[in-house]
Amino acid sequence: MNIWTPTRWARNGEVELAYDELTAAQGKAPLLLVTGLGVSRLWWPDGLAQALAAQGFAVARYDQRDAGESTHLPPTATGNPITALVRKRGASYTAQDMTDDAVAVMDALGWKSAHLFGQSLGGAVAQRIALRHPGRVRTLTSVSAVPGDAAGLGALRHIRLRTLGKLARMRYPDTPEGDIEAGIALARLLHSPAYPLDEQAVRDAVTSLADSGVRDGHSQSRQISAPWHGPAISRIRVPTLVLHGADDPLVKPAAGRAVAARIPGARFVSLPGVGHDLPEPVWNDVAMRVRRLADR
C-alpha cells in the first residue's frame, strides 16, 4: 500500500519540482523533508516519515532541482563534484534558487510556513531557507550537514576526502541495473556501523527507488557548486536542532558541532553508532526530538 499521494508539481520559474505528501497528513503541523545530494525524495525511509507523522506532523517531501523527477539542468563544465566544489566550475544556478524551490513547494502545498528537516546537502539547504525566507520556517532540523554558508575549501574541510573520493570514482553502467548497483554501493558506504546492514533489504529497497541520481556526477556537481550569496548562519533565528551521526563516514561530526555553535540557541545531538544515514532504530527518537523542538 502506497502511503504517499500521487506526484504533484510545483514551479519556480522554468524549474518544475516533483513532490508528494503522506496521505494521512490532514490537520497537522506541516513538515518538509529536504533531500541530500543527487538523490530523489524516494530515498527518505517511509518509516521515518511515519514516525514524524505519529508525532503530529504533516510530512511532505520533494525532489530538488537536478534530482528525481524534478527539472534537470543542461550539462556544465564538470561531472566531478569535488572539482565543482573547489573550483566552482559546475555552477548553473545559485543556492538562493534552491531555497526558492522549497518555498515554491510550500506554496503549492498551501503552507504559509513549515518545520524543515534536511539531511546532508538538504541540511545545508534548509539552513539557507531559514536565512532567505525566515518567515516561512517554524523550526529547523539539520542532519549530517556542513554549515550552509561554507563554500569551496571552507566546506571541503568538513568532508572526509577519502569517502568523497570513493563516491567520485564510482562507475556503473547507464542502465537500470547500473542504477541499482550504484544505489547499493552508496548504502554500503554511508551506513551506520552500529547497525548491521541487511544486504537483501537494501537491494529490495534500492530496486524500488533507483534512478540515475546516485551516479549522475553532472547533476551532483551543479547542486554542490551552487554559490550562496546570503548572510552567515549566525543570523538564523528559528529554533534549531542539529543531529549528526557520531560515526558519519562522509561529513565529520565537527561540522554539526560547528553549525550548532554558530546558530544562536541551537542544540547539538550526537547519534552514537550512526553513519551518514538514519537507521530504523533511531527513527522514533529523532521524531520525538523534532516534536520537542516544535513545542519550544
Side-chain angles (χ1 to χ4, degrees), residues 93-114:
Y93 45 81
T94 68
Q96 280 86 340
D97 293 327
M98 297 177 75
T99 71
D100 295 348
D101 290 345
V103 170
V105 172
M106 290 167 60
D107 287 343
L109 286 160
W111 292 355
K112 292 183 179 179
S113 62

Side-chain angles (χ1 to χ4, degrees), residues 27-48:
K28 297 183 178 182
L31 182 146
L32 185 64
L33 298 173
V34 189
T35 59
L37 181 67
V39 298
S40 81
R41 68 192 189 280
L42 303 182
W43 279 81
W44 287 109
D46 287 351
L48 174 61

Side-chain angles (χ1 to χ4, degrees), residues 6 10 15 21 55 60 65 68 81 116 128 131 141 154 159 177 179 181 199 201 218 224 238 254 258 263 281:
V15 173
E21 55 185 324
Q55 292 295 326
R65 60 174 63 198
L116 299 183
R128 296 163 183 164
L131 288 166
T141 300
I159 306 296
E177 292 75 18
D179 295 340
E181 293 306 319
E199 290 275 348
H218 286 280
I224 204 169
V238 302
I263 298 176

Side-chain angles (χ1 to χ4, degrees), residues 118-193:
Q119 186 173 11
S120 195
L121 176 68
V125 172
Q127 295 169 44
R128 296 163 183 164
I129 298 167
L131 288 166
R132 183 167 168 84
H133 302 282
R136 305 299 297 269
V137 180
R138 301 188 186 187
T139 66
L140 165 65
T141 300
S142 177
V143 186
S144 303
V146 304
D149 55 359
L153 294 176
L156 203 60
R157 70 185 181 89
H158 294 296
I159 306 296
R160 298 192 193 278
L161 297 182
R162 183 176 180 180
T163 304
L164 191 61
K166 289 179 180 178
L167 289 172
R169 291 192 299 272
M170 282 176 29
R171 296 289 184 271
Y172 292 92
D174 183 10
T175 63
E177 292 75 18
D179 295 340
I180 291 170
E181 293 306 319
I184 293 169
L186 180 68
R188 286 178 183 145
L189 189 61
L190 302 183
H191 89 281
S192 299

Side-chain angles (χ1 to χ4, degrees), residues 78-91 152 217-218 220-226:
T78 181
N80 186 317
I82 300 177
T83 301
L85 181 64
V86 175
R87 300 181 182 176
K88 302 179 182 180
R89 290 176 53 193
H218 286 280
Q220 295 171 18
S221 295
R222 292 190 293 273
Q223 287 186 339
I224 204 169
S225 67

